[in-house]
Amino acid sequence: MDTIKNAANYVSESVKGGTSEASKEANKHVAKDGNAPLDTRATATKDMIGDKFDQHKHETSADVHKEAAKH
């Protein structure tokens, strides 16, 4: 039963990591957009950093669940 739970958690965390990565990339494009207002670019930069942190957190958690499902 734990193996199934760990596998499900692995999939969930992998999806969350992918979502965070997509959001990070979108914010990166806004932050680099010279036509966007400065406050919008600054907010996008802040959000991009937060998304990168979330991506790393979810990917690490997914790896832990993946390894736990193997054993």
Side-chain angles (χ1 to χ4, degrees), residues 29-62:
H29 289 293
V30 172
K32 289 182 172 184
D33 183 1
N35 295 322
L38 186 57
D39 62 330
T40 301
R41 294 175 68 189
T43 299
T45 301
K46 176 187 71 72
D47 291 345
M48 181 183 66
I49 292 167
D51 290 337
K52 180 62 180 175
F53 175 79
D54 289 344
Q55 177 189 0
H56 180 68
K57 178 180 70 171
H58 291 303
E59 288 174 351
T60 301
S61 184

Side-chain angles (χ1 to χ4, degrees), residues 3 9 11 14 19 23 25 49-50 52 55 62 69:
T3 301
N9 286 336
V11 170
S14 294
T19 302
S23 179
E25 289 299 318
I49 292 167
K52 180 62 180 175
Q55 177 189 0

Side-chain angles (χ1 to χ4, degrees), residues 1-15 65 69:
M1 186 67 172
D2 282 341
T3 301
I4 294 170
K5 182 178 175 183
N6 284 323
N9 286 336
Y10 165 71
V11 170
S12 174
E13 291 295 337
S14 294
V15 169
H65 289 297

